Amino acid sequence: MAARITLIAALLALASSHALAFDPSPLQDFCVADYDSNVFVNGFACKKAKDVTADDFYFTGLDKPASTANELGANITLVNVERLPGLNSLGVAMSRIDYAPFGLNPPHSHPRSSEILHVAEGTLYAGFVTSNTENGNLLFAKKLQKGDAFVFPRGLIHFQFNIGDTDAVAFATFGSQSPGLVTTANALFGSKPPIADYILAQAVQLSKTTVGWLQQQQWLDISQEYRQRLVQAN
Amino acid sequence: MAARITLIAALLALASSHALAFDPSPLQDFCVADYDSNVFVNGFACKKAKDVTADDFYFTGLDKPASTANELGANITLVNVERLPGLNSLGVAMSRIDYAPFGLNPPHSHPRSSEILHVAEGTLYAGFVTSNTENGNLLFAKKLQKGDAFVFPRGLIHFQFNIGDTDAVAFATFGSQSPGLVTTANALFGSKPPIADYILAQAVQLSKTTVGWLQQQQWLDISQEYRQRLVQAN
Amino acid sequence: MAARITLIAALLALASSHALAFDPSPLQDFCVADYDSNVFVNGFACKKAKDVTADDFYFTGLDKPASTANELGANITLVNVERLPGLNSLGVAMSRIDYAPFGLNPPHSHPRSSEILHVAEGTLYAGFVTSNTENGNLLFAKKLQKGDAFVFPRGLIHFQFNIGDTDAVAFATFGSQSPGLVTTANALFGSKPPIADYILAQAVQLSKTTVGWLQQQQWLDISQEYRQRLVQAN
Amino acid sequence: MAARITLIAALLALASSHALAFDPSPLQDFCVADYDSNVFVNGFACKKAKDVTADDFYFTGLDKPASTANELGANITLVNVERLPGLNSLGVAMSRIDYAPFGLNPPHSHPRSSEILHVAEGTLYAGFVTSNTENGNLLFAKKLQKGDAFVFPRGLIHFQFNIGDTDAVAFATFGSQSPGLVTTANALFGSKPPIADYILAQAVQLSKTTVGWLQQQQWLDISQEYRQRLVQAN
Amino acid sequence: MAARITLIAALLALASSHALAFDPSPLQDFCVADYDSNVFVNGFACKKAKDVTADDFYFTGLDKPASTANELGANITLVNVERLPGLNSLGVAMSRIDYAPFGLNPPHSHPRSSEILHVAEGTLYAGFVTSNTENGNLLFAKKLQKGDAFVFPRGLIHFQFNIGDTDAVAFATFGSQSPGLVTTANALFGSKPPIADYILAQAVQLSKTTVGWLQQQQWLDISQEYRQRLVQAN
Amino acid sequence: MAARITLIAALLALASSHALAFDPSPLQDFCVADYDSNVFVNGFACKKAKDVTADDFYFTGLDKPASTANELGANITLVNVERLPGLNSLGVAMSRIDYAPFGLNPPHSHPRSSEILHVAEGTLYAGFVTSNTENGNLLFAKKLQKGDAFVFPRGLIHFQFNIGDTDAVAFATFGSQSPGLVTTANALFGSKPPIADYILAQAVQLSKTTVGWLQQQQWLDISQEYRQRLVQAN
């Protein structure tokens, strides 16, 4: 059971690494994030230019699959400003997503970016749901094969599911240095502290008992490596 | 039962009318939306200036409670660019939200704006959940009384619940002409067409039977008046 | 007489608390203003995330009328980033305006935001004047009653006047964390130091004597609570 | 007398041609304004690329003084998107200002841009007034000689006065394709239709008689060439 | 010889497909580009929403190597708004780059975006050069292997060279729907019409004879598929 | 010879001082750059408001020709945020360019701004080259005389050449506080450390010997005064 929960938590975490937002423009060539600064601003304070080297613009390890041995059967490797300091002020980020057979990057949204998902290996079913419209919440979804790409607009809930019987790999393009990840089920049922059960019961049309059961599950984040720092502090 | 479902759907719709985003800047004093144009752009095409009158900047009816006789016990009156044409290109919108006792504006997010909620009557419990962080999805929530205000950051899931035994009224401030509304449960369980039940079952840790039952419910939008036009076309 | 001048000054100050601007986008969920920081940036530096609580997103007192016992017969309660730290980087602000009978929120503009004014009590006459156009400076104005709203585009001069014989209350929606307030008469006749009288005389077609008399009046700011900090320093 | 009023009106018009705002970014190399389009958008619709020539990026006549034979003793030559179509979507504009001895570019603001004023000939006294602050509306002003430059922040009231006994010439740099011009006195006393005299009397602490007299004056726009088109229509 | 020139031209074209800029924010969920519209705006006019399908967000063929049988030994497959209509207003784009052994994506810049380059196969040497600084134009460069990523800031000249003896493949992430591509040598020596030879001779410190010879070469664009439409017209 | 190289280097440096970009909006009236701060952010940290004076918005010396006694026969005087602290957060900058007869402001681009060039004295030939399009890299160029202006879109390569037999002077308008300058030849052939000769040889279709010779030349920056600080540190 614990394993299953871990897996699910891991898969839920998957949901995260996709879209790019529309950040403020840079005011100099670059402004490499200074992780050691004790000054916190919108984005990051910058390193002194004389200390900047090519390594500040460099990231390695995107060829390595992350373990999908979790309940969701998926895992995410993020390349955002919290892990690649040279991205600060430059308005781009990316990620790698690994999927076991039937692995799921569960429904999630990115508050600060749209996304292009590109399938490098395997076969995925991917889609997004619009905001509330006159005609309801429309699902736009598609089966994707190796070499296909699909677009997820900013702030909308989207997902990918490995419908093949082999591992799958995808890469995501974002337009923000820190697109942010809201895994829908984690935010609803796994917040700390929890949202009151009678509120969730009313919202999702389930009994308080079922909601309570859900809230006792573990809702792991499959983008464990992800450091969405609140502001830039700890 | 149908009534209950209708109510819930209505209440879920409530969730919508809050935050403002960061729109592109205006390039002239104003650019009043031309609802009759057959040209669709980012935002709306504009009316000829000679046809613009004070009425294009005017909205009425915010003193009228919307009916909360639905399962969620809440209702939303939106004032966005789709209903107040003078807002086009100006980067602001607002809404009124009515709550019956125990009425709920269910968990939702606005893809294109932050929000300030101001309680005009009654007592609400309101909160938002952060994106995935090192410390999980944190809930920031507060009991609000008449005269109190609370902030919901852009793109994050938030809600309000009437914890008083009287009707409540709130007004929301947004920073986008069309903040957009994603009612979380509607998007998950009520999309058209539906998301595959096995995907949702895996994502929310429920049986396919329970998910199937959820998908058969009605997920009404309590911001019925809201016309989130996809692009600006019909 | 002094009282009258004080009142007028106070009323002039009223002019302030309205419109929304188009701020830079956030680069994380939130960046709560650290009022104690000795580092000054565009906006505010942020508190450490571990120190952030729900109270940082909370404001109280919007149900309390501010005193209108001044010559303008109006007063403003601002909710901007200088008073609600959670607004930092989120692009929204709001205000409450109280009007005695015949109270005036005098002509003013917001350099960084458009505005929606919503009348909660009473009857106002409100309007804005366009920038210089081929057809002159056009006035768009309207009588507003309880439940009505009106739009003031960014940077344009606008005003509200209580044409009823009862108190009036309005709320303003802005699209900037700090829309700024330029009360026109205050800026022209009450600057510190004053603009040379011969310049103003030429500009407003009045005698130097009349201008000199005007410059000796008090031009109070009815948004006394307002802390439009220059930069963020003192 | 009429001549004097005309002059003043003309000088008031001078106030206009300065600062640039922060426009939306371009999405292609260029998007030359199509003045003949019957489609109106934020900014201008674009010409077909095959019809674009170098002349679309070209403006002539900045070496020609505009007549200062008006009551303000000043005149403005604008180079904005309404007169140089290649500026559309590119976020810059400029202007030339001519001043007779003692000529005045009267107090005005630009809703959509900051400005750098560069003195090419003569000696000016120039300044701007801040928005309402804890310490009042602060005047920052300076005597400028040939070769000097001064900055006026976006949306703030500013002016220039020729304190020499020779003609003066200045050039202004803006950060918007259409910074907009609000000549303060024109907007207050010369709007069409007029603002009610009792409102202005209360706002500027003058008698209704004096206000009425002011409203009967002509408030000419010294940037006659300026076509601040409302939206982009006629 | 012609073949060689063709190859080089093709390789030069390669330089193109990388970084994204900071586009204006979307004002609705999506605004799918209508390639058939005869209305040209900043970006593209949108299709009617009822005509939008999942295929509008879909692109295929990224698994197919483009031919590198040209003098540069490289080729680019672009996925921007001109080829994937769903990207309009969403602020992201991407590309695939193929490199033969010793193939070169020659020095180029993107006017509207930063870029992350991710090496999927092979070994590249990649770098960018800063703008003019106190210390000159600094080169930041690095050897990249499979799984490595490198950042190129917006508007700066950068390149990649295949230093391995096998084919290489990379993918680029951009933060604009149309980042634009300026292949440096093409723009200098291959413009239509040409820049005068004496200007180039003076600029690049070469004889007019050598410049003339360069101008007679073919400067092919290896992103042949790329349709950087001037405005959006033909 | 060294002199000639120095001259050319100097002229190449000229290329720099033109266009403005689209910076993040200001969040207060002003935020004067604090050159002494040891905190580095996107742009500059601000001085305390109480220490701000009119001199912070003031620049002098634009009437003084800079020496054109260098190989390019041109020189640039920049007025950007690195030299005029009041420009910080305000989105504008400008420059003066001096040209000896046959002086050249060599091909260059501005990563963060468009530009308007205004000819104050003399006769120039000026042009820009588009990014790669279906029809190649198009040159838009024009002979400019005193009083003429020409537009250079953001990020595109452009140049000016003095075709008259007298000195020429031009002023440039930018829409960014720090537009940045990439002198094309300097970045290609004069970077520190150099780009490998075999890469440049392949890119520009010259022999390694010729490239090596070019790399041994001096590539001076004629905007010596320009302090494009990398980030804001030293």
Side-chain angles (χ1 to χ4, degrees):
Chain A
M1 183 61 190
R4 185 170 181 276
I5 290 165
T6 306
L7 269 183
I8 290 180
L11 286 172
L12 286 169
L14 265 183
S16 82
S17 60
H18 308 96
L20 280 186
F22 300 77
D23 296 355
S25 286
L27 296 170
Q28 56 288 311
D29 283 1
F30 50 73
C31 166
V32 172
D34 178 1
Y35 295 147
D36 298 326
S37 176
N38 59 359
V39 175
F40 308 114
V41 295
N42 192 19
F44 283 83
C46 329
K47 293 176 69 167
K48 287 194 181 186
K50 69 175 180 185
D51 299 335
V52 171
T53 69
D55 285 341
D56 288 311
F57 302 98
Y58 172 73
F59 187 89
T60 190
L62 285 167
D63 56 329
K64 304 281 188 305
S67 168
T68 56
N70 56 43
E71 292 216 4
L72 284 171
N75 209 334
I76 295 171
T77 303
L78 274 154
V79 188
N80 60 8
V81 71
E82 280 115 4
R83 305 188 73 207
L84 205 185
L87 291 180
N88 196 41
S89 83
L90 295 185
V92 285
M94 65 169 295
S95 70
R96 173 191 171 120
I97 309 146
D98 289 283
Y99 312 80
F102 311 109
L104 175 67
N105 188 354
H108 65 279
S109 64
H110 304 290
R112 294 181 291 280
S113 181
S114 299
E115 171 182 353
I116 307 175
L117 185 91
H118 156 224
V119 182
E121 295 294 338
T123 309
L124 298 175
Y125 172 75
F128 69 86
V129 180
T130 70
S131 66
N132 301 3
T133 75
E134 298 176 279
N135 304 315
N137 298 81
L138 307 181
L139 172 68
F140 289 86
K142 187 99 181 167
K143 182 177 173 181
L144 303 176
Q145 291 179 306
K146 182 176 178 172
D148 291 353
F150 203 72
V151 180
F152 306 121
R154 182 168 57 159
L156 302 188
I157 293 176
H158 57 287
F159 62 88
Q160 303 103 40
F161 183 73
N162 182 354
I163 52 177
D165 52 9
T166 61
D167 287 349
V169 182
F171 292 92
T173 283
F174 300 97
S176 166
Q177 66 182 41
S178 182
L181 164 62
V182 177
T183 305
T184 311
N186 289 23
L188 276 186
F189 301 115
S191 73
K192 300 176 185 177
I195 298 173
D197 56 359
Y198 54 85
I199 289 178
L200 289 176
Q202 190 164 337
V204 297
Q205 306 196 32
L206 289 170
S207 68
K208 286 211 295 182
T209 306
T210 305
V211 166
W213 180 85
L214 284 170
Q215 292 188 315
Q216 287 166 15
Q217 307 314 307
Q218 283 191 47
W219 297 90
L220 298 187
D221 182 348
I222 50 173
S223 58
Q224 300 282 12
E225 295 298 323
Y226 186 75
R227 297 195 311 136
Q228 157 73 26
R229 303 204 298 173
L230 292 172
V231 189
Q232 300 86 356
N234 292 292
Chain B
M1 183 61 189
R4 185 168 183 277
I5 290 166
T6 306
L7 272 182
I8 291 179
L11 285 173
L12 285 169
L14 266 181
S16 84
S17 61
H18 309 96
L20 281 187
F22 301 77
D23 297 355
S25 287
L27 297 171
Q28 54 289 310
D29 284 0
F30 50 73
C31 165
V32 173
D34 178 1
Y35 295 147
D36 297 327
S37 175
N38 58 359
V39 175
F40 308 114
V41 295
N42 192 17
F44 282 84
C46 329
K47 291 177 69 168
K48 287 193 179 185
K50 69 173 181 186
D51 298 335
V52 171
T53 70
D55 286 341
D56 287 312
F57 302 98
Y58 172 73
F59 187 89
T60 190
L62 284 167
D63 55 329
K64 306 279 189 302
S67 169
T68 57
N70 56 43
E71 291 215 3
L72 284 171
N75 208 336
I76 294 171
T77 303
L78 274 156
V79 188
N80 61 8
V81 70
E82 280 116 3
R83 304 188 73 206
L84 205 184
L87 291 179
N88 196 41
S89 83
L90 294 184
V92 286
M94 63 169 295
S95 69
R96 171 191 172 121
I97 309 147
D98 290 283
Y99 312 80
F102 311 109
L104 175 67
N105 187 354
H108 66 278
S109 64
H110 303 290
R112 293 182 291 279
S113 182
S114 299
E115 171 181 351
I116 306 175
L117 186 91
H118 157 225
V119 181
E121 297 294 338
T123 308
L124 298 175
Y125 173 74
F128 70 84
V129 180
T130 70
S131 66
N132 301 4
T133 77
E134 297 176 280
N135 303 315
N137 298 81
L138 307 180
L139 174 68
F140 290 86
K142 187 99 181 166
K143 181 177 172 182
L144 304 176
Q145 291 179 306
K146 182 176 177 173
D148 290 355
F150 203 72
V151 180
F152 306 122
R154 182 167 56 159
L156 301 188
I157 292 177
H158 57 287
F159 61 88
Q160 304 103 40
F161 183 73
N162 183 354
I163 53 177
D165 51 9
T166 60
D167 286 350
V169 181
F171 291 92
T173 283
F174 300 96
S176 167
Q177 66 182 41
S178 181
L181 163 62
V182 176
T183 305
T184 311
N186 290 23
L188 275 187
F189 302 116
S191 72
K192 300 176 183 175
I195 297 174
D197 57 0
Y198 54 86
I199 289 178
L200 290 174
Q202 190 164 339
V204 296
Q205 306 195 32
L206 289 170
S207 68
K208 286 210 295 183
T209 305
T210 304
V211 165
W213 180 86
L214 284 169
Q215 292 188 316
Q216 288 166 15
Q217 307 314 306
Q218 284 192 44
W219 297 91
L220 298 187
D221 182 347
I222 52 174
S223 60
Q224 300 282 13
E225 295 296 324
Y226 186 75
R227 296 195 310 136
Q228 158 72 26
R229 302 204 299 171
L230 292 173
V231 189
Q232 300 87 356
N234 293 292
Chain C
M1 183 62 188
R4 186 173 180 275
I5 290 166
T6 307
L7 270 182
I8 290 179
L11 285 173
L12 285 170
L14 265 181
S16 84
S17 61
H18 307 96
L20 281 187
F22 301 77
D23 296 356
S25 286
L27 296 171
Q28 56 288 311
D29 283 1
F30 50 73
C31 165
V32 173
D34 178 1
Y35 295 147
D36 298 326
S37 176
N38 59 359
V39 175
F40 308 114
V41 295
N42 193 17
F44 283 84
C46 329
K47 293 176 67 168
K48 285 193 181 187
K50 69 174 180 186
D51 298 335
V52 171
T53 70
D55 286 340
D56 287 312
F57 301 99
Y58 172 73
F59 187 89
T60 189
L62 284 167
D63 56 329
K64 304 281 189 301
S67 168
T68 57
N70 56 43
E71 290 214 5
L72 284 171
N75 210 334
I76 295 171
T77 304
L78 274 156
V79 188
N80 60 9
V81 71
E82 280 115 5
R83 305 189 74 208
L84 205 186
L87 291 180
N88 196 39
S89 83
L90 295 185
V92 285
M94 64 169 296
S95 70
R96 172 191 171 120
I97 308 147
D98 288 285
Y99 313 81
F102 311 108
L104 175 67
N105 188 352
H108 65 279
S109 64
H110 304 291
R112 293 181 291 279
S113 182
S114 299
E115 171 182 352
I116 306 174
L117 185 92
H118 157 225
V119 182
E121 296 293 338
T123 308
L124 298 175
Y125 172 74
F128 69 85
V129 180
T130 70
S131 66
N132 301 4
T133 75
E134 298 176 279
N135 303 314
N137 298 82
L138 307 181
L139 172 68
F140 289 86
K142 187 98 182 168
K143 182 177 172 182
L144 303 176
Q145 291 180 306
K146 182 176 176 171
D148 291 354
F150 203 71
V151 180
F152 306 122
R154 182 167 58 159
L156 301 188
I157 293 178
H158 57 286
F159 62 88
Q160 304 103 39
F161 183 74
N162 182 355
I163 53 177
D165 51 9
T166 61
D167 286 350
V169 182
F171 291 92
T173 283
F174 299 97
S176 168
Q177 67 182 42
S178 182
L181 163 62
V182 177
T183 305
T184 311
N186 290 23
L188 275 186
F189 302 115
S191 72
K192 300 176 184 177
I195 299 174
D197 56 0
Y198 54 85
I199 289 178
L200 289 175
Q202 189 164 338
V204 298
Q205 306 195 31
L206 290 170
S207 67
K208 286 210 296 184
T209 306
T210 304
V211 165
W213 180 85
L214 284 170
Q215 292 187 317
Q216 288 166 16
Q217 309 313 308
Q218 284 192 45
W219 297 92
L220 298 188
D221 182 347
I222 50 174
S223 59
Q224 301 281 14
E225 297 294 327
Y226 185 73
R227 298 195 311 134
Q228 157 74 24
R229 303 204 299 172
L230 292 173
V231 189
Q232 300 88 354
N234 291 291
Chain D
M1 183 61 189
R4 185 172 182 275
I5 290 166
T6 305
L7 271 182
I8 290 179
L11 285 173
L12 286 169
L14 266 182
S16 82
S17 60
H18 309 94
L20 281 186
F22 301 77
D23 297 355
S25 285
L27 296 171
Q28 55 289 311
D29 283 0
F30 50 72
C31 165
V32 173
D34 178 1
Y35 295 148
D36 297 325
S37 176
N38 57 359
V39 175
F40 308 115
V41 296
N42 193 17
F44 283 83
C46 330
K47 292 176 69 167
K48 286 193 180 186
K50 70 173 180 186
D51 298 334
V52 172
T53 70
D55 286 339
D56 288 311
F57 302 98
Y58 173 72
F59 187 89
T60 190
L62 284 167
D63 55 330
K64 305 280 189 303
S67 168
T68 57
N70 57 43
E71 291 214 3
L72 284 170
N75 208 335
I76 293 170
T77 304
L78 275 155
V79 188
N80 61 7
V81 71
E82 280 115 4
R83 304 188 74 208
L84 205 184
L87 291 179
N88 196 41
S89 84
L90 295 184
V92 285
M94 65 169 295
S95 70
R96 170 191 173 121
I97 309 148
D98 289 284
Y99 312 80
F102 311 109
L104 175 67
N105 188 353
H108 66 279
S109 64
H110 304 290
R112 293 182 290 280
S113 182
S114 299
E115 170 181 352
I116 306 175
L117 186 91
H118 156 225
V119 182
E121 296 293 338
T123 308
L124 298 175
Y125 172 73
F128 69 86
V129 180
T130 70
S131 66
N132 303 2
T133 76
E134 298 176 278
N135 303 315
N137 298 82
L138 307 180
L139 173 68
F140 289 87
K142 188 99 182 167
K143 182 177 171 182
L144 303 176
Q145 291 180 304
K146 182 175 177 173
D148 290 354
F150 203 71
V151 180
F152 307 122
R154 182 168 58 160
L156 301 188
I157 293 177
H158 57 287
F159 61 88
Q160 303 104 41
F161 183 73
N162 182 355
I163 54 177
D165 51 9
T166 59
D167 287 350
V169 182
F171 291 92
T173 282
F174 300 97
S176 168
Q177 67 182 42
S178 181
L181 164 62
V182 177
T183 305
T184 312
N186 290 23
L188 276 187
F189 302 116
S191 73
K192 301 176 183 175
I195 298 174
D197 56 1
Y198 54 86
I199 289 178
L200 290 175
Q202 189 165 338
V204 296
Q205 305 195 34
L206 290 170
S207 68
K208 286 210 297 184
T209 305
T210 305
V211 165
W213 180 85
L214 284 169
Q215 293 188 314
Q216 287 165 16
Q217 308 313 307
Q218 284 192 44
W219 296 92
L220 299 187
D221 182 348
I222 51 173
S223 61
Q224 300 282 11
E225 296 296 325
Y226 185 75
R227 297 196 312 136
Q228 157 72 26
R229 302 205 301 173
L230 292 173
V231 189
Q232 299 86 358
N234 293 293
Chain E
M1 182 62 188
R4 187 172 181 274
I5 290 166
T6 306
L7 271 183
I8 289 180
L11 285 174
L12 285 169
L14 264 181
S16 84
S17 60
H18 309 94
L20 280 186
F22 300 78
D23 297 355
S25 286
L27 297 170
Q28 55 288 311
D29 283 1
F30 50 72
C31 165
V32 173
D34 179 1
Y35 295 147
D36 297 327
S37 176
N38 58 358
V39 175
F40 308 113
V41 295
N42 192 17
F44 283 83
C46 329
K47 292 176 69 168
K48 288 194 179 186
K50 68 173 180 186
D51 298 335
V52 171
T53 71
D55 286 340
D56 288 311
F57 302 98
Y58 172 73
F59 187 90
T60 191
L62 284 166
D63 55 329
K64 304 280 188 304
S67 167
T68 57
N70 55 43
E71 291 215 3
L72 284 170
N75 208 335
I76 294 171
T77 304
L78 275 155
V79 188
N80 60 9
V81 70
E82 280 116 2
R83 304 189 75 207
L84 205 185
L87 291 179
N88 196 40
S89 84
L90 295 184
V92 285
M94 65 169 294
S95 70
R96 171 191 173 121
I97 309 146
D98 289 284
Y99 313 79
F102 311 109
L104 175 67
N105 188 353
H108 64 279
S109 64
H110 304 289
R112 294 182 291 278
S113 181
S114 299
E115 170 181 352
I116 306 174
L117 185 91
H118 156 225
V119 181
E121 296 293 338
T123 308
L124 298 174
Y125 173 73
F128 69 85
V129 180
T130 70
S131 66
N132 302 3
T133 77
E134 299 176 278
N135 303 315
N137 298 81
L138 308 180
L139 173 68
F140 289 88
K142 187 96 182 168
K143 181 178 173 182
L144 304 176
Q145 292 179 304
K146 181 176 178 173
D148 291 353
F150 203 73
V151 180
F152 307 121
R154 182 168 57 159
L156 301 188
I157 292 176
H158 57 286
F159 62 88
Q160 304 103 39
F161 183 73
N162 183 355
I163 53 177
D165 51 8
T166 61
D167 287 349
V169 181
F171 292 92
T173 283
F174 300 96
S176 166
Q177 66 182 42
S178 181
L181 164 62
V182 177
T183 305
T184 311
N186 290 22
L188 277 187
F189 302 116
S191 72
K192 301 178 182 176
I195 299 174
D197 56 1
Y198 55 84
I199 289 178
L200 290 175
Q202 190 164 338
V204 296
Q205 305 195 34
L206 290 170
S207 68
K208 285 211 296 183
T209 305
T210 304
V211 166
W213 180 85
L214 284 170
Q215 293 188 316
Q216 288 166 16
Q217 307 314 306
Q218 284 192 46
W219 297 92
L220 297 188
D221 182 348
I222 51 173
S223 60
Q224 301 282 13
E225 295 296 325
Y226 186 72
R227 296 194 313 134
Q228 158 73 25
R229 303 205 300 172
L230 292 172
V231 191
Q232 299 88 356
N234 293 291
Chain F
M1 183 62 190
R4 186 172 182 276
I5 289 165
T6 306
L7 272 183
I8 290 180
L11 286 173
L12 285 169
L14 267 182
S16 82
S17 61
H18 309 95
L20 281 186
F22 300 79
D23 296 356
S25 286
L27 296 171
Q28 57 288 310
D29 284 1
F30 50 72
C31 165
V32 173
D34 179 0
Y35 295 147
D36 297 327
S37 175
N38 59 359
V39 175
F40 308 114
V41 295
N42 193 18
F44 283 83
C46 329
K47 293 176 68 168
K48 286 194 181 187
K50 70 174 180 186
D51 298 334
V52 172
T53 69
D55 286 340
D56 287 312
F57 302 98
Y58 172 73
F59 187 90
T60 190
L62 285 167
D63 55 329
K64 305 279 189 305
S67 167
T68 56
N70 55 44
E71 291 215 3
L72 283 171
N75 208 335
I76 295 170
T77 304
L78 272 156
V79 188
N80 61 8
V81 72
E82 280 115 5
R83 304 188 75 206
L84 205 184
L87 291 180
N88 196 40
S89 83
L90 295 185
V92 285
M94 64 170 295
S95 70
R96 171 191 172 121
I97 309 147
D98 288 284
Y99 312 80
F102 311 109
L104 175 67
N105 188 353
H108 65 279
S109 64
H110 304 290
R112 293 182 291 279
S113 182
S114 299
E115 171 182 353
I116 307 176
L117 185 93
H118 156 224
V119 181
E121 296 294 338
T123 308
L124 298 174
Y125 172 72
F128 69 85
V129 179
T130 70
S131 66
N132 302 3
T133 75
E134 298 176 277
N135 303 314
N137 298 82
L138 307 180
L139 172 68
F140 289 87
K142 188 99 181 168
K143 182 177 173 182
L144 303 176
Q145 291 179 305
K146 182 176 176 172
D148 290 353
F150 202 71
V151 180
F152 306 122
R154 182 167 56 161
L156 302 188
I157 293 176
H158 57 286
F159 61 88
Q160 304 104 39
F161 183 74
N162 183 355
I163 54 177
D165 51 10
T166 61
D167 286 350
V169 182
F171 292 92
T173 283
F174 301 97
S176 167
Q177 66 182 43
S178 182
L181 164 62
V182 177
T183 304
T184 310
N186 290 22
L188 276 186
F189 301 115
S191 72
K192 300 175 184 176
I195 299 174
D197 56 0
Y198 54 86
I199 289 178
L200 289 175
Q202 188 163 341
V204 298
Q205 306 195 31
L206 290 169
S207 67
K208 285 209 298 183
T209 305
T210 305
V211 165
W213 181 86
L214 284 169
Q215 293 187 317
Q216 286 166 17
Q217 308 313 307
Q218 284 192 45
W219 297 91
L220 298 186
D221 182 347
I222 51 173
S223 60
Q224 299 282 12
E225 296 296 324
Y226 186 75
R227 296 196 311 135
Q228 158 73 26
R229 302 205 300 172
L230 290 174
V231 189
Q232 299 88 355
N234 293 291

